[in-house]
């Protein structure tokens, strides 16, 4: 705040303050160097102004010590900034293992959010205070971007793949989120509110909201409806129990971790990676399942138990 | 500096050697081609500027004061495409580079004069495609043409606009080629590499980037066209493509392109600062090699545009480190320019005010780049108004200011006329102030979280937007003043004489305007660049 005028957004997440400190440091460094350059120029320009029309100043070639100094000093500052910012970035990039997962689908021009309990929201996201939340996001058309200024987080939402973003809110209230990546005509309207609630209010809100069953239930219905069960329930295909996060052995001898991206690929492009010991008979479901349905199937697979090592985390 | 006698200013020169439209449209004289470019880039600047004015007016109100969102989107797309590809990239290289490269090396023309004329025609054809795209209903992809928006979802004249940019790219490549060959092969006797004016080092580095980078842009746009027309799956995941691949390809060119825009201005500023403080440049070789260092590193930092695209943490770290590295040669330049003033004989004619304005604004723009090179803060700042402010400080505060400074410096040489210095200094001041009022509030706006490319915005951002728009009206006036007195000076300006600034350099040793063949005799160079210590630099 500066004369009642905000200079930074609300600090409403666990990482916001750390980012702001780095930002202040950079601002101070910026002002310092701008000050030095401006003052020196003003001083020289006045002190050495042309007094006689045809004066010829003594010539100076340069100075190696000075060149070394003004290469070395910025270099040191830049290295310090790099180390500071990178360690902060690495720390902030890793979601805590216990994060609650919320699924986000961006499409021209709205945000569809779904809680694991099945509650669906549009352009609004309710979250409990003090609990880490992990968003797993994808897009149905072009690239969008999920940006919450008050939490200092942002991530592109890309069609054909999952991206993740996490935060832990520290202050109850309502905060804007924006689509940060230009996505066509109504890009500027693709925004909404994150509503941070006390945990007990959040529970009440969850149970009060109309539910279409949990996401995993919806996934279980799809599992039967799309006849996955005819293979995966009969031994013709691998079983899903404890699949999520496990090491899967492939036909070509390599192994992969069964994370979100792998499961998505297995459903849409089954021929890409064949599980060892099985025939490549699974048909593709590309074009038949919507992004939302795929997320529901993933929720179902996850509900069948996950291996020790948590997957889906960068 | 050389053996040529200075001929009288009256007499036959490149402007009056021939008359008629044909003599201009078919000319192979690099100086006339420079003027053709001057006219065309000014035209495009005015169109791009008009779009900017409309956008700033529109943003006075949170709900948008003027335009439909769709129209606003077309405005910033057109503004970006025109300002980048049709104004700033050709500005200094094609106008001043064309005029000065042969004169500064002491040659009669560029190595390939007809290729040079072809470059201008190629540029114009590209420009016509783009103008057609605008007139026929506009494009709304942004200047970045991100996929799959541009290939599958955007309506509008994406193909015409992309084709326009594609074609104009070849003009850049040909111009760059011409400069590189000329600087290598046509230097006057005695003009060794380390006697070259720094403007030529900068143009040389720029040309290398143009030749190496532009083909990548051309290929990328071709792929966009393939996917858009024939649905070949390259970028759209629905067709089996990868949308992030486009960003890699696009920024592999477009980041270096930022240096195509700024390096020439840095070269201009080196000329101005030395002339108006009558000093050799401080640390010649450091300034020269920093241009080359910037050109090289600029090819390795494209990933800093993709920190939030889902790029791996390790890629992010590498690109961040390399981006920080570019700050060093840029800082070296700023320090050396400042040190050049030390114990000099500093005068404040208009070109110098523009040059000092450049140093100040470029410093602010460059330093805010550190916020964006730094991973943790870029996550928050990416695609907000902070980025808009940062690159306008570099491209408008820096590159455009340098271009105007150069224009004021060499205008007497190009036209043989002086413009009113008082007005010119006044315009430099108005531009400096207007610029800061327009773009400084946007840094704060960005940190507060206002995303870019927003036709409507939440109310709490209004105050800063109004401030920015108010500043833009001052800025617009600042740009219009030079337009008026430059045109005035062509008819009414007093004759300039060969060397009105008492500057060093071969171009000042021949009459203004120069004769068609530039020099009556091939000059012989016997001294370093910027030998302002030698008394013989005569002041007129
Ligand atoms: C050489 C001069 C200039 C260049 C090279 C330039 C370049 C650009 C570019 C590349 C963009 C991004 C377009 C996009 O997002 O697709 C942009 C946006 C913009 N520029 Fe400029 N610009 C110049 C001058 C100006 C001036 C003088 C103004 C002042 C009024 C201005 C105001 C704007 C505005 C309002 C936007 C839109 C921001 C948004 O909605 O994201 N520009 N400019
Ligand atoms: Cu968007
Ligand atoms: Cu870049």
């Amino acid at each position: 705040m500066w004369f009642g005028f905000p200079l930074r957004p609300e600090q409403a997440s666990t990482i916001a303050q750390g980012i702001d400190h780095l930002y202040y440091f950079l601002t101070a460094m910026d002002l310092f160097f701008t000050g030095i350059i401006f003052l020196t120029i003003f001083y020289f320009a006045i002190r050495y102004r042309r007094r006689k029309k045809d004066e010829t100043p003594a010539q100076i070639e340069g100075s190696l010590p000075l060149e070394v100094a003004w290469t070395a000093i910025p270099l040191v500052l830049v290295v310090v900034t790099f180390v500071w910012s990178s360690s902060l970035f690495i720390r902030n990039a890793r979601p805590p293992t216990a994060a609650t997962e919320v699924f986000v689908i961006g499409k021209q021009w709205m945000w569809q959010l779904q809680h694991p309990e099945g509650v669906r929201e549009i352009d609004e996201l309710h979250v409990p205070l003090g609990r880490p939340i992990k968003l797993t996001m994808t897009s149905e058309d072009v690239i969008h971007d999920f940006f919450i200024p008050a939490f200092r987080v942002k991530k592109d939402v890309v069609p054909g793949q999952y991206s993740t973003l996490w935060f832990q809110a520290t202050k109850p209230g309502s905060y804007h989120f924006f689509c940060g990546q230009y996505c066509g005509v109504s890009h500027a309207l693709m925004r909404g509110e994150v509503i941070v609630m006390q945990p007990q209010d959040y529970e009440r809100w969850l149970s009060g909201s109309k539910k279409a069953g949990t996401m995993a239930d919806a996934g279980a219905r799809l599992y039967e409806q799309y006849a996955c069960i005819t293979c995966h329930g009969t031994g013709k295909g691998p079983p899903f129990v404890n699949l999520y996060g496990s090491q899967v052995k492939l036909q070509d001898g390599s192994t992969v971790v069964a994370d979100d991206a792998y499961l998505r690929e297995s459903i849409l492009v089954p021929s890409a990676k064949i599980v060892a010991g099985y025939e490549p008979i699974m048909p593709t479901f590309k074009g038949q399942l919507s992004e939302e349905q795929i997320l529901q199937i993933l929720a179902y697979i996850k509900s069948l138990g996950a291996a020790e090592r948590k997957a889906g985390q960068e | 500096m050389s053996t040529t006698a200075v001929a009288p200013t009256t007499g036959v020169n490149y402007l009056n050697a021939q008359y008629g439209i044909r003599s201009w449209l078919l000319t192979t004289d690099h100086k006339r081609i420079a003027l053709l470019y001057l006219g065309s880039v000014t035209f495009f600047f005015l169109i791009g500027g008009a779009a900017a004015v409309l956008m700033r007016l529109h943003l006075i109100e949170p709900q948008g004061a003027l335009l439909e969102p769709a129209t606003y989107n077309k405005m910033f797309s057109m503004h970006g495409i025109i300002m980048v590809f049709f104004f700033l990239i050709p500005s200094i290289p094609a106008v001043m580079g064309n005029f000065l490269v042969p004169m500064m090396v002491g040659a009669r023309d560029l190595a390939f004069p007809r290729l040079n004329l072809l470059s201008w025609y190629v540029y114009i054809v590209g420009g016509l495609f783009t103008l057609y795209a605008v007139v026929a209903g506009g494009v709304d992809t942004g200047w970045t043409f991100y996929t799959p928006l541009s290939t599958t979802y955007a309506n509008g004249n994406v193909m015409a606009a992309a084709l326009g940019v594609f074609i104009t790219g070849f003009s850049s490549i040909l111009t760059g080629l011409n400069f590189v060959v000329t600087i290598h092969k046509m230097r006057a006797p005695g003009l060794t590499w380390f006697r070259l004016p720094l403007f030529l080092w900068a143009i040389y580095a720029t040309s290398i980037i143009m030749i190496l980078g532009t083909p990548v842009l051309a290929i990328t746009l071709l792929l966009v066209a393939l996917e858009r027309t024939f649905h070949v799956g390259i970028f759209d995941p629905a067709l089996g493509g990868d949308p992030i691949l486009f960003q890699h390809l696009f920024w592999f060119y477009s980041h270096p392109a930022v240096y195509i825009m700024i390096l020439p201005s840095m070269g201009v500023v080196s000329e101005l600062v030395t002339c108006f403080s009558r000093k050799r440049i401080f640390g010649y070789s450091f300034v020269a090699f920093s241009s080359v260092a910037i050109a090289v590193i600029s090819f390795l930092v494209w990933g800093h545009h993709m920190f939030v695209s889902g790029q791996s943490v390790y890629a992010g770290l590498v690109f961040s480190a390399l981006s920080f590295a570019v700050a060093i040669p840029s800082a070296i330049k700023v320090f050396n320019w400042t040190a050049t003033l030390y114990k000099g004989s500093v005068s404040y004619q208009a070109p110098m005010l523009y040059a000092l304005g450049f140093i100040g604004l470029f410093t602010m723009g460059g330093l805010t780049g550190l916020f964006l090179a730094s991973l943790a803060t870029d996550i928050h700042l990416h695609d907000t108004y902070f980025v808009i402010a940062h690159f306008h400080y570099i491209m408008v505060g820096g590159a455009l200011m340098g271009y105007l400074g150069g224009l004021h410096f060499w205008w007497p040489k190009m036209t043989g006329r002086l413009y009113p210095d008082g007005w010119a200094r006044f315009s430099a001041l108005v531009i400096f102030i207007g610029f800061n009022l327009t773009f400084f509030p946007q840094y704060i706006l960005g940190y507060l979280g206002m995303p870019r490319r927003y036709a409507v915005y939440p109310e709490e951002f209004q105050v800063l937007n109004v401030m920015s728009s108010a500043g833009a009206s001052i800025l617009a006036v600042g740009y219009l003043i030079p337009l008026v007195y430059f045109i005035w000076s062509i008819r009414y300006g007093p004759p300039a004489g060969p060397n009105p600034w008492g500057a060093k350099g071969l171009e000042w040793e021949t009459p203004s305007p120069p004769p068609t063949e530039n020099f009556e005799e091939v000059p012989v160079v016997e001294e370093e660049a910027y030998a302002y210590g030698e008394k013989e630099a005569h002041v007129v």
Side-chain angles (χ1 to χ4, degrees), chain A residues 20 45 50 59 67 154 182, chain B residues 140 280 336 346 348 382 447:
Chain A
D20 284 350
R50 189 166 299 168
Q59 297 298 306
E67 299 287 351
K154 175 184 289 136
Y182 176 69
Chain B
D140 72 345
R280 290 181 53 90
N336 280 296
V346 183
Y348 319 119
H382 178 79
Y447 201 66

Side-chain angles (χ1 to χ4, degrees), chain B residues 476-498:
Chain B
V477 173
Y479 289 135
L480 290 177
I481 303 173
L483 198 65
V484 175
Y485 61 69
F486 276 143
I487 292 173
W488 175 89
S489 78
I490 294 176
R491 258 196 105 82
Y492 306 106

Side-chain angles (χ1 to χ4, degrees), chain B residues 141-220:
Chain B
T141 57
W143 77 284
T144 46
F145 297 104
Y146 266 26
T147 56
L149 179 65
S150 64
T151 53
T152 308
Y153 293 87
N155 306 312
N157 298 282
V158 182
M159 287 302 294
L163 204 61
V165 174
F166 174 82
I167 294 172
T168 306
F170 288 93
S171 158
S172 279
I173 298 174
L174 297 181
T175 302
L177 208 65
N178 228 333
F179 289 164
V180 168
V181 176
T182 306
I183 296 174
H184 267 282
K185 287 293 177 198
M186 297 174 68
R187 281 170 286 132
L191 187 56
T192 58
W193 280 93
F194 288 98
R195 287 179 172 177
L196 288 180
L198 288 165
F199 179 74
L200 290 185
W201 275 94
I203 287 289
Y204 186 82
T206 308
S207 304
I208 298 284
I209 306 180
M210 283 176 167
I211 296 170
L212 294 180
T214 319
V216 179
L217 176 72
I219 293 165
T220 313

Side-chain angles (χ1 to χ4, degrees), chain B residues 61-84:
Chain B
E61 282 178 20
Q63 284 316 310
L66 208 60
L67 312 166
E68 291 293 309
T71 319
Y72 180 86
N73 297 346
K74 287 176 188 165
M75 281 298 155
F76 72 66
S77 305
M78 177 180 97
H79 169 77
I81 293 170
I82 286 183
M83 285 301 203
V84 170

Side-chain angles (χ1 to χ4, degrees), chain B residues 304-315:
Chain B
H304 67 205
H305 297 271
M306 301 165 61
F307 287 154
V308 303
S309 70
Q311 169 175 273
S312 85
V313 172
Y314 305 103

Side-chain angles (χ1 to χ4, degrees), chain B residues 45 52-53 55-56 59 72 76-77 79-80 83-84 87-88 142-144 261 385 388 391-392 395-396 400 438-439 442 452-454 472 475 479:
Chain B
F45 177 70
V53 168
M55 285 190 287
R56 282 298 356 148
L59 292 172
Y72 180 86
F76 72 66
S77 305
H79 169 77
M83 285 301 203
V84 170
F87 172 69
L88 205 49
W143 77 284
T144 46
M261 299 183 242
Y385 263 82
I388 302 280
F391 72 67
H392 280 86
M395 303 208 291
V396 185
L400 179 56
T438 309
F439 290 103
Q442 296 183 6
R452 67 190 279 204
R453 299 175 167 180
Y454 262 34
L475 186 59
Y479 289 135

Side-chain angles (χ1 to χ4, degrees), chain A residues 5-9 16 19-20 22-23 26-27 29-31 33-34 36-38 40-41 44-46 48-64 66-67 70-71 74-75 78 81-82 85-86 88-90 92-93 108 140-143 145 147-150 152-156 158-161 163 176 178-191 286 314, chain B residues 69-70 73 76 140-142 146-149 153 237-238 243-244 247 275-284 286 308-310 313 317 320-321 324 327-328 331-332 334-336 338-339 341-348 356 359-360 363-364 367-368 370-371 374-377 379-384 386 432 444 447-449 451-458 460-461 463-464 530 532-533 535 540:
Chain A
F5 193 81
L7 292 181
R8 59 160 173 75
I19 305 259
D20 284 350
L22 178 58
Y23 174 76
L26 283 162
T27 308
M29 191 160 85
D30 191 336
L31 291 176
F33 278 103
T34 310
I36 287 193
I37 296 292
F38 272 65
T40 317
I41 287 181
F44 285 172
I46 293 166
Y48 302 113
R49 69 186 174 278
R50 189 166 299 168
R51 291 156 208 265
K52 281 200 299 308
K53 220 176 168 214
D54 57 351
E55 68 190 356
T56 312
Q59 297 298 306
I60 303 167
E61 295 288 314
S63 148
L64 190 60
L66 267 182
E67 299 287 351
W70 62 48
T71 306
L75 190 66
V78 154
T81 316
F82 172 73
S85 119
S86 301
L88 194 59
F89 170 76
I90 293 171
N92 292 348
Q108 286 178 330
E140 283 197 352
D141 37 52
V142 302
I143 303 178
D145 176 285
F147 173 31
I148 316 172
R152 313 288 187 275
V153 292
K154 175 184 289 136
K155 193 64 156 264
D156 280 359
V158 184
Q161 64 194 55
S163 51
H176 296 303
F178 296 113
C179 176
Q181 177 67 57
Y182 176 69
C183 57
V185 178
S186 299
H187 163 62
L189 299 175
M190 210 170 143
R191 61 186 207 226
K286 199 171 185 160
E314 296 154 308
Chain B
N73 297 346
F76 72 66
D140 72 345
T141 57
Y146 266 26
T147 56
L149 179 65
Y153 293 87
I244 305 295
Q247 298 179 22
C275 172
F276 292 96
S277 49
R278 295 220 179 120
K279 282 275 300 291
R280 290 181 53 90
I281 191 98
F282 196 90
Y284 175 98
F286 288 90
V308 303
S309 70
V313 172
L317 291 174
S320 167
F324 275 117
I328 306 294
I332 291 177
V334 170
F335 289 128
N336 280 296
T338 309
L341 302 179
Y342 177 64
K343 291 197 170 166
S345 163
V346 183
S347 77
Y348 319 119
L356 296 180
I359 300 177
T363 302
M364 293 172 77
L367 283 164
T368 51
L370 297 180
F371 292 67
S374 142
L375 283 159
T377 38
I379 301 298
H380 178 62
L381 294 170
H382 178 79
D383 269 342
T384 67
F386 191 95
F432 186 82
I444 304 171
Y447 201 66
L448 288 176
R452 67 190 279 204
R453 299 175 167 180
Y454 262 34
V456 298
Y457 56 85
E460 67 260 31
F461 298 136
V463 176
L464 287 161
Y530 316 116
Y532 284 102
K535 273 287 180 191
V540 182

